[in-house]
Amino acid sequence: MKRFKKFYIEITSVCNLACSFCPQTKRQANFIKTEDFTHRLDQIKPYTDFIYFHLKGEPLMHPKIDQLLDISHEKGFKVNITTNGTLLHKVKDKILTKPAIRQMNFSLHSFDGHEGSEDKDGYITSVLSFVREAMEKTTMIISLRLWNLDMNNATNAERNRNRELLGAIEKEFGLDYKIEEKVEPGKGTKIADRVYINQDYEFQWPSLDAEEDDGKGFCYGLRNQAGILSDGTVVPCCLDGEGVINLGNINVQPFADIIENGRAKRLMDGFSRREAVEELCRKCGYRKRFGA
């Protein structure tokens, strides 16, 4: 049976920020119900052990995130959460010691990416306070992300913009070096036990409005990952945040049938030939990372 290394489950399509690097979803605002969440876990259990509360939306906004984590643990899943971290003060006590959590990914670039953000010092203090407590009380892994470097200006403005955040991290962990001198874009650097920092170039979401190329290349969508949007739409990867490649809906069709249907098989067969058969895939720059 096919096994996925990553399975993205969007628990809400709603976000509390409007970041420049993340297109706002045109989908209806939705928070997954606990019974629907349970149903999805039962459907995907044979296919993976790791789920990611991610696609679009801010997972810490879900009012029952603690219950979703408990259900995940009961069913034997390890959870990775990707968050902008701005709501930690409201939900820390609901999530901190949940055994289901394997990893927390903090998108620190969200602060500067959202017009109107205030109190950067308070923001990073809150995130680092959570990290400190997590290190003391749990075994979770922490990834501090700054994915806002510019390919054409990676050594100047963006690095300077990040200096305040990086300086606070260096002080918190007693680092005797500047993080920029050690971190390579796209690679994680360990700065403490179970704590990593990642810097990378600003991410570009694929869009049907983008230019199309020759369609050559390869992708791991439906090979090592898949996703389910909050309304039940199954998508091949974490980059289809609008459900453009709608493979079916898990609320009305078994997941096992969805990934064996014509559209899913055509996508997989296409990439086996190093060919993108879906329009969105032909307009996705991520595909080029894996060669032709």
Side-chain angles (χ1 to χ4, degrees):
M1 178 178 290
K2 181 192 295 287
R3 296 281 291 178
F4 297 100
K5 292 181 180 179
K6 299 179 179 180
F7 207 112
Y8 297 91
I9 296 186
E10 182 186 75
I11 62 174
T12 179
S13 60
V14 180
C15 187
N16 62 318
L17 301 184
C19 295
S20 58
F21 56 81
C22 185
Q24 298 299 292
T25 181
K26 299 178 178 65
R27 293 181 285 121
Q28 183 177 352
N30 191 42
F31 291 85
I32 194 171
K33 297 178 181 178
T34 54
E35 56 267 32
D36 289 337
F37 181 76
T38 300
H39 171 71
R40 286 170 204 184
L41 294 194
D42 289 339
Q43 290 275 304
I44 69 171
K45 181 58 182 172
Y47 299 92
T48 191
D49 297 317
F50 300 96
I51 55 177
Y52 291 66
F53 288 0
H54 187 45
L55 255 151
K56 286 293 187 73
E58 168 51 53
L60 299 193
M61 288 191 71
H62 199 292
K64 295 183 178 179
I65 189 171
D66 52 342
Q67 294 180 36
L68 302 185
L69 288 168
D70 287 340
I71 294 168
S72 301
H73 181 62
E74 290 165 8
K75 294 188 174 294
F77 289 94
K78 287 295 184 181
V79 179
N80 299 265
I81 298 176
T82 297
T83 173
N84 57 46
T86 58
L87 302 176
L88 284 173
H89 61 291
K90 293 184 176 181
V91 302
K92 183 188 76 170
D93 293 338
K94 294 174 71 172
I95 68 172
L96 180 64
T97 57
K98 294 296 185 183
I101 299 180
R102 172 187 174 270
Q103 181 168 324
M104 292 282 291
N105 304 314
F106 291 100
S107 299
L108 301 183
H109 48 283
S110 300
F111 186 90
D112 285 319
H114 174 71
E115 186 176 351
S117 291
E118 298 178 349
D119 189 14
K120 183 182 284 191
D121 183 62
Y123 168 69
I124 191 61
T125 297
S126 174
V127 172
L128 292 178
S129 174
F130 180 93
V131 172
R132 192 181 315 119
E133 201 167 347
M135 292 173 67
E136 295 171 355
K137 297 180 179 179
T138 77
T139 59
M140 76 173 66
I141 299 166
I142 301 290
S143 174
L144 302 172
R145 297 176 172 181
L146 279 165
W147 291 0
N148 59 359
L149 297 180
D150 187 322
M151 282 280 194
N152 302 313
N153 197 24
T155 59
N156 298 312
E158 275 66 32
R159 291 191 186 277
N160 292 335
R161 180 175 64 179
N162 292 334
R163 180 88 292 271
E164 184 177 350
L165 291 169
L166 294 175
I169 294 168
E170 290 159 4
K171 182 178 180 181
E172 172 69 25
F173 293 99
L175 304 182
D176 59 359
Y177 58 86
K178 285 193 173 182
I179 290 172
E180 302 99 316
E181 299 169 356
K182 294 280 185 89
V183 174
E184 293 183 49
K187 295 183 179 180
T189 298
K190 186 175 182 178
I191 58 174
D193 184 37
R194 294 180 283 112
V195 181
Y196 298 82
I197 186 149
N198 294 265
Q199 284 197 269
D200 208 343
Y201 300 106
E202 183 171 315
F203 176 76
Q204 296 293 323
W205 285 86
S207 169
L208 292 178
D209 295 329
E211 289 189 16
E212 189 171 316
D213 60 23
D214 61 7
K216 300 299 182 183
F218 181 76
C219 180
Y220 288 98
L222 290 183
R223 277 182 161 80
N224 70 5
Q225 65 168 279
I228 307 175
L229 300 180
S230 56
D231 66 357
T233 300
V234 176
V235 293
C237 70
C238 63
L239 305 185
D240 189 1
E242 291 300 289
V244 173
I245 308 175
N246 183 344
L247 302 177
N249 194 294
I250 201 168
N251 294 331
V252 297
Q253 188 179 6
F255 178 75
D257 293 347
I258 292 173
I259 60 169
E260 294 298 331
N261 74 17
R263 191 169 191 179
K265 289 185 69 66
R266 284 193 296 273
L267 185 148
M268 288 273 290
D269 292 344
F271 279 124
S272 293
R273 303 189 302 270
R274 300 300 192 266
E275 176 186 339
V277 299
E278 290 283 349
E279 181 183 359
L280 187 69
C281 299
R282 294 193 295 271
K283 297 179 175 181
C284 178
Y286 228 77
R287 167 172 47 86
K288 300 174 184 177
R289 294 191 178 198
F290 308 114

